Amino acid sequence: MATKKITFDPDASSSPEANFNILGGANFEGNFEVVGTNNSAFDLSGYSGSAAMSKSVAIGATLGITTAFTVGFTSATDGKLKISLSSGVTRSLNEGRYVYDVLIVSSASTYSLVRGNVLVIPP
């Protein structure tokens, strides 16, 4: 899976978007390179992360959290993180369109780092 470069601005009211396809029954990994508005690596040291996806049933409507991703900082100082799902988890997902959101937390602030659509394709 290619790395998706995203620009993070804590003062922005919206987050960037990146879309993925997940093949049911296969391991999934989404890699992100986070840069600041000056286009240099955004230091994610001191942040924690979470990510979840929900089944999309209509425009603007979801069924609640379907599954949570594992979030790992592969190099926090270089702004690199990944989200992943095991093959056992992707095998249990129903085919269709989902939406996801990656959140990061620092001190008392929570930010939406990136969000987008996920298309789950049956094995």
Side-chain angles (χ1 to χ4, degrees):
M1 137 115 282
T3 299
K4 297 188 184 266
K5 184 176 181 180
I6 58 169
T7 302
F8 175 58
D9 181 359
D11 297 323
S13 60
S14 64
S15 56
E17 293 187 13
N19 300 321
F20 293 105
N21 292 331
I22 295 177
L23 178 60
N27 288 324
F28 168 78
E29 189 173 282
N31 295 293
F32 297 98
E33 179 184 344
V34 183
V35 297
T37 55
N38 61 359
N39 206 34
S40 62
F42 189 91
D43 188 352
L44 293 168
S45 300
Y47 286 83
S48 62
S50 65
M53 73 180 196
S54 302
K55 180 74 169 160
S56 181
V57 292
I59 295 174
T62 61
L63 290 176
I65 293 177
T66 301
T67 192
F69 290 92
T70 299
V71 177
F73 293 91
T74 55
S75 178
T77 56
D78 293 326
K80 295 181 180 179
L81 69 109
K82 71 176 178 178
I83 59 174
S84 60
L85 295 172
S86 71
S87 60
V89 172
T90 65
R91 187 176 297 109
S92 68
L93 294 173
N94 292 323
E95 175 182 5
R97 186 175 152 303
Y98 294 74
V99 294
Y100 80 97
D101 197 6
V102 177
L103 302 176
I104 58 172
V105 179
S106 176
S107 303
S109 298
T110 301
Y111 304 98
S112 176
L113 182 66
V114 61
R115 63 181 61 184
N117 296 304
V118 175
L119 178 62
V120 174
I121 303 163

